[in-house]
Every structure is written in structure tokens, then in C-alpha cells.
């Protein structure tokens, strides 16, 4: 294992000092472009992602809370759901979410497809049902034709819906950030301050959890490992899924990619700025207190993680037909 | 005037029978592509159009109710505003809205720029204020640079915001519908049924109000000219603006362009389908009752008015800064 790490480190030109830190056994890697995408399925999924007809109100789409104009988030502490309900938890970014080892903060979905069905049927989010979603889509000739083309069947099923949504989400990777350019050998891509931030990121132990291509998304860790964290959220983390006391307040480590775009931070959205987030992480996870200079270096580094945002024409949705069940926003 | 009309009719190959109908003095014309656009200003306006930071909640953007994936509307009877408030009136399409002689159903805005400031500050819609909008934008470095580039000033002002929004909206025209192809001489572009629908459209008098490039948007008419129309809306139409009794229930004639995409219909959204809308118009405006065949012909014709939808990459919005006032969705 050590040898492999060494190869990766050399490949990406990291200093030897890093390889001696235990954390470096889980290296950070540049984001690779999405490959193996079924384009027709992803195109269908893109339409579905933007289609508010998958909600009871006809007003909320996946893109409402995972806004691709805004880093794949809604930039709210917790989301707004059907009838303006306040959600219990901060919406994680959909960008690079294919790299998460499980989905949702508490990991209750094993993959993107498993996740995609959740919000549609959640009474506090889109407040629809899988049956109604199928009925609506089946009544729209443009969708019937497109599902037929992709899946070869006349009947639209929710599994196809979530499959297409997941395929689209797999395309939402953000390669070529300045940090990735630097990792690949462009030594001019980062300033001295930003490089100092990365050194600190490794040596302080941030990298122990925020590793891999997504710099996160690979493990559960307790929020408040060193100092207890009091959250403005009812979530108990992983314990809500397993019921086990030792999983209390274990959350999936979020990706740091595009973190400049995805404020506020943490599962309860309590950190308003990157500076606050760095400070809280240091205190609660590492038992450290960074100087103002160090905090600034880390923030500067984190801002280099903004990659190329997905770019595609705004999808045009097929019109409803006379038989399409109408939305019920006020019932 | 008659000569001009004749020329236009000959140009677009309409039958002579049409030119003898009085209504033909206000001909229908193919949509011309947008010209004279200040591209940098329109690009800025596009970002603003998609930016929910112009609302108190940080959740509602112009595109929420004028969804460009859905014909520039929300496809709801009346819109959902801040805190899930139910709006009083149906959201008109933003497509081809530059061709309206005034804006809003009651014409209370003289042009697109005048309109654009309304929803931002309306407590039932985006529930923000012009001052707060300026403050938010001024705190976002990406916007400060872009406004400076377009307007040459360091301070962002609401007039610049609405100017940019209007410039973007001017680009939202939908040329090259099948009907326009037919008007321009492609006789194969419409089926016999659709052509019969257009003949009926002219001879029944629909064209008296729905004329010009937008096929509407050029005048106020009373809703319920022949038979009283009982609406599910508190709006008194033009009377709300002028206070004059004779303006009671006078509404701006809506465009018929892309009408296939913009259900439900009328200022109160009471017509669920095109078939119902045609039936209601016939009864209340023309004192007519179409046969099922005639209704079908008119609906078939109306569906040929769907033009090329605006196509552009989903805008990526500049991130907030540490000083950006945060949204207040639940206060």
C-alpha cells in the first residue's frame, strides 16, 4: 500500500514530507471527467432533474434544492419543501456526488439511484408519490417517447426515472480546478498562500477525512470528535439509520470540491462562511485553534477547489397533455 | 393602410379571402429574431433572471414563475410566492414579452424594465426590496465586476438591475414555429386540419384581438365581452390601475405564441386545456359555440404556434462573499 501511495504522490508531485504523514495514505486526486455515460439516458435524466411536475405543487424540482447555477445546492441552512416546510438538514451538493460511497448525510441510500426516489416521495420535500410521478410522466407524450427510446418499454416505471436521474447526476463532475491543475504539475496554478493552505490541510489532518477525488464522501465520521458539537438540526446522523448508539452523530464526510459555492456549511448549515467552517472543524474535529493567518491560508486553498461547472443548455420540458394530472400546490 | 396590409398578406401568402375580412387589417406576422441586443448586458440579465438572491428567501428567482424550461410560465393557476403565498393572478409568459404594448395583465408597467422591478419588491412574490437587492448584489464581487463592465459604474443600482433583466428578456423570442414557416411560404408546414383552424381563427374574429407578431399583447379587451365571465381572481383588470369603471375587467390580450406550453389559461388560470380555453373564448368573447370539429381544428392550429425555445447554457452564478446578507426564508 505504501508503495502505491508513493507512486501517486510522485505522479502528482506532492512533497515527500506528505508521504510520511499517516494521512497521506489516502491521497487527494484530481477529478477525472465522467466516462461511460449513456447519453440518451442522461439527457432524459436532465429533463427530469429540472421538472417540477415530479412534485405535488408543480413548483419544486430536484434543481430547486440542488441548483446547478449555484454549486448544486440551494445555499440555505436547510431547504424549503412543499408548503414552505423547513427541512431538517442542509442540502448537500449534487456535484461530484457520484464519488460518494453512500448518499444523504446519514448514508441511508446506497447509491445515486437509491437516493433519487427519496425527495420525490418525502412529504416535507416534493410531497409527491412514486405512483403519481409515474402517472404524470405517462400522460406526457414527449416523455413516453423518450423513455421508450431509452428503456425500450411503453410503461414508465419509477425505477427508470431514478435510473435516468442518476445517469444525469453522474455527468455532474467538476474537473480542472486550479488545485487539480497544480496537482497535475502546473506549479503556477496556486499562489504561495494557497500552497501553504494545502500543506496545512495535510499536516493538520484535514486530509484524513477529506481524501480522494471528491476530497470527502468516502467515510462516516463523528461530528464533534474532540469537542461536542451542538447542532441546530434534529438529525442524529447514522444512528437514525442503524439505531446503534455508537453511530450517534456520525455523518458522511462532505466533499470539499466547489466548497466556495456551497455555503452555508455542515449538516445544520450553521457555518455561514468558510472561515467559520475552518475554525469549527479545527476545534471540534482536530482539537486545534488556527491563527488568523493559517485560517486565511486554508480558506484560500479551499477556494482553489472550484472546478469547471457543468455546462449544458437549459432543458426544454415536454408539455403536459389534456390528461396530465394537474399540480395541487394549495391542497 | 389597406394597401400595406395587402402587401403583407401577399408577402406571407395568405388567401385573398382573408384580406376581405375586417380583422385582416391587423395581420398576423412571423416572429422576427431579436436584434440590437447588448450582449454583455443580456448575459448579466440572464444571471439575474436565474438568481434567487433577489428574493427574501433566497429561493425564488424570476425563473421560478417564468420558467424558461416550460414556455416562460409556471404552469400553475396562480403563482406561489414567498412563504407559499397564493398569488392573485396567472403568471404570463415571458416569451416574446418584448412585443407586449404594456406589461402585466392590467398594463400597470409601461415596458419590460418597468415590470422587472415589480415582483422583486412585491411582498407576495419575492418579498425583497430594491435597496436590499442592491446591497446583496454589491456584496458579490462577480456581480460588481460585471455591472462595472456593462454600466461603467462601481455602485450597482436597481435601475441597472431592471435594465439588464429587460435586455435579457428581449432575447426571449421564439421564431420559426410551424405556423411561421407556413406564413413564409412553406405550404407543407401545416396540415389541412391546422390550416382549417387558421381560417376559422380569422373568420370567427379571434384575430381581432390576437394579431401582430405575438398574436396578442397589443390591446386591452374586456374579459366577457358578450357573456359575463366569473373569474377566480380578485383582479379587476385595468380598473385597478386607472380607477375607471369602464376599465373594469379589461385585461391585456395575452400572446398566443407557445400557447401549447403555457397552460392553464386566462388571468385566473381557470381553463385547464386549450380545448376549454377555445370554448370559453368563443362563448364569452364572440358569442359563438364551436362544433367539436371546429374546436379540434382551432386547437390543432394553436399548437403550431410553438416556436424555437430560447437555448442557452444554464448560467453559473457568482458566489456570495463573507459580507453578503444571508437569505431569510423562515423569518
Amino acid at each position: 500500500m505504501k508503495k502505491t501511495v508513493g507512486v501517486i504522490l510522485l505522479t502528482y508531485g506532492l512533497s515527500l514530507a506528505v508521504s510520511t504523514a499517516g494521512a497521506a495514505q489516502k491521497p487527494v486526486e484530481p477529478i477525472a471527467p465522467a466516462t461511460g455515460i449513456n447519453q440518451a439516458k442522461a439527457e432524459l435524466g436532465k429533463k427530469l432533474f429540472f421538472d417540477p411536475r415530479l412534485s405535488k405543487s408543480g413548483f419544486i424540482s430536484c434543481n430547486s434544492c440542488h441548483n446547478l447555477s449555484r454549486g448544486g445546492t440551494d445555499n440555505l441552512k436547510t431547504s424549503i419543501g412543499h408548503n414552505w416546510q423547513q427541512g431538517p438538514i442542509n442540502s448537500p451538493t449534487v456535484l461530484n456526488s457520484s464519488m460518494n460511497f453512500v448518499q444523504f448525510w446519514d448514508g441511508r441510500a446506497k447509491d445515486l439511484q437509491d437516493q433519487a426516489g427519496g425527495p420525490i416521495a418525502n412529504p416535507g420535500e416534493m410531497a409527491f408519490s412514486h405512483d403519481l410521478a409515474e402517472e404524470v410522466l405517462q400522460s406526457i407524450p414527449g416523455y413516453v417517447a423518450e423513455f421508450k427510446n431509452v428503456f425500450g418499454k411503453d410503461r414508465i416505471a419509477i425505477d427508470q426515472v431514478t435510473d435516468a436521474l442518476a445517469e444525469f447526476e453522474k455527468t455532474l463532475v467538476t474537473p480542472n480546478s486550479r488545485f487539480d491543475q497544480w496537482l497535475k504539475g502546473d506549479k503556477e496554478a496556486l499562489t504561495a498562500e494557497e500552497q501553504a493552505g494545502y500543506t496545512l490541510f495535510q499536516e493538520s489532518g484535514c486530509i484524513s477525512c477529506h481524501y480522494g477525488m471528491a476530497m470527502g464522501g468516502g467515510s462516516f465520521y463523528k461530528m464533534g470528535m474532540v469537542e461536542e458539537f451542538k447542532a441546530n438540526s434534529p438529525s442524529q446522523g447514522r444512528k437514525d439509520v442503524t439505531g446503534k448508539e455508537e453511530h450517534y452523530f456520525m455523518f458522511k464526510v462532505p466533499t470539499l470540491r466547489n466548497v466556495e459555492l456551497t455555503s452555508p456549511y455542515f449538516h445544520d448549515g450553521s457555518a455561514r462562511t468558510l472561515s467559520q467552517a475552518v475554525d469549527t472543524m479545527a476545534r471540534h474535529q482536530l482539537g486545534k485553534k488556527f491563527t488568523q493567518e493559517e485560517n486565511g491560508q486554508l480558506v484560500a486553498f479551499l477556494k482553489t477547489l472550484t472546478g469547471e461547472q457543468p455546462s449544458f443548455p437549459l432543458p426544454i420540458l415536454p408539455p403536459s397533455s389534456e390528461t396530465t394530472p394537474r399540480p395541487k400546490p394549495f391542497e
Side-chain angles (χ1 to χ4, degrees), chain A:
Chain A
M1 181 67 195
K2 203 175 177 194
K3 193 175 172 186
T4 313
V5 172
V7 169
I8 292 170
L9 291 171
L10 285 172
T11 306
Y12 300 125
L14 304 189
S15 75
L16 209 61
V18 177
S19 71
T20 59
Q25 292 185 21
K26 296 168 182 169
V28 167
E29 296 163 57
I31 289 183
T35 55
I37 300 295
N38 177 329
Q39 292 299 338
K41 195 191 286 186
E43 280 299 314
L44 172 57
K46 185 194 296 172
K47 291 196 179 85
L48 296 168
F49 191 87
F50 280 84
D51 203 326
R53 285 172 293 190
L54 295 179
S55 68
K56 181 182 178 186
S57 63
F59 189 64
I60 299 178
S61 70
C62 305
N63 194 63
S64 298
C65 300
H66 302 286
N67 191 332
L68 294 172
S69 295
R70 308 188 73 194
T73 67
D74 54 14
N75 295 121
L76 298 175
K77 280 189 180 182
T78 62
S79 294
I80 296 171
H82 183 78
N83 204 23
W84 214 261
Q85 290 174 79
Q86 183 167 7
I89 208 158
N90 182 260
S91 284
T93 180
V94 74
L95 297 178
N96 305 304
S97 56
S98 57
M99 301 170 195
N100 292 333
F101 81 123
V102 290
Q103 302 297 335
F104 292 118
W105 282 96
D106 58 14
R108 67 184 182 276
K110 68 178 184 303
D111 57 24
L112 288 174
Q113 180 172 9
D114 191 15
Q115 187 280 332
I120 294 172
N122 187 325
E125 300 184 25
M126 297 166 85
F128 218 34
S129 76
H130 291 175
D131 285 350
L132 287 168
E134 290 174 352
E135 186 186 346
V136 163
L137 295 170
Q138 191 73 44
S139 74
I140 299 170
Y143 273 131
V144 171
E146 202 162 337
F147 273 87
K148 177 80 184 270
N149 178 49
V150 171
F151 294 103
K153 295 187 177 161
D154 292 316
R155 284 303 304 179
I156 295 172
I158 192 69
D159 285 352
Q160 298 164 359
V161 175
T162 53
D163 186 5
L165 282 166
E167 194 74 6
F168 171 58
E169 290 173 345
K170 285 179 203 162
T171 69
L172 302 175
V173 299
T174 62
N176 214 28
S177 66
R178 286 202 291 118
F179 177 58
D180 282 358
Q181 293 170 31
W182 183 84
L183 280 179
K184 288 176 176 175
D186 177 0
K187 292 302 149 204
E188 306 294 307
L190 298 193
T191 66
E193 185 189 28
E194 291 159 353
Q195 291 184 43
Y198 181 46
T199 301
L200 208 49
F201 181 84
Q202 297 164 93
E203 294 178 350
S204 305
C206 312
I207 201 171
S208 304
C209 299
H210 294 284
Y211 55 82
M213 269 197 220
M215 303 176 70
S219 56
F220 294 114
Y221 270 95
K222 184 170 178 180
M223 181 67 170
M225 279 167 64
V226 177
E227 183 185 321
E228 190 189 3
F229 181 83
K230 294 196 188 304
N232 296 315
S233 163
S235 175
Q236 301 186 92
R238 188 68 186 151
K239 185 189 167 193
D240 288 333
V241 180
T242 65
K244 294 183 180 170
E245 201 52 50
E246 67 261 36
H247 290 157
Y248 178 76
F249 248 50
M250 298 278 281
F251 292 95
K252 185 186 66 188
V253 176
T255 175
L256 293 181
R257 295 292 186 171
N258 308 293
V259 73
E260 178 187 17
L261 308 178
T262 63
S263 71
Y265 307 104
F266 307 141
H267 74 276
D268 65 348
S270 59
R272 188 173 173 280
T273 66
L274 276 178
S275 177
Q276 289 169 7
V278 165
D279 192 62
T280 299
M281 282 284 101
R283 201 163 71 247
H284 291 270
Q285 304 304 101
L286 303 171
K288 283 200 167 96
K289 170 79 185 156
F290 289 121
T291 65
Q292 203 170 348
E293 187 189 10
E294 289 170 330
N295 185 295
Q297 289 169 342
L298 279 161
V299 169
F301 164 64
L302 290 169
K303 289 184 176 177
T304 72
L305 303 180
T306 306
E308 287 172 3
Q309 301 298 295
S311 178
F312 52 82
L314 184 74
I316 303 300
L317 304 180
S320 296
S321 72
E322 301 220 342
T323 62
T324 303
R326 293 315 197 244
K328 298 177 177 173
F330 302 108
E331 292 174 25

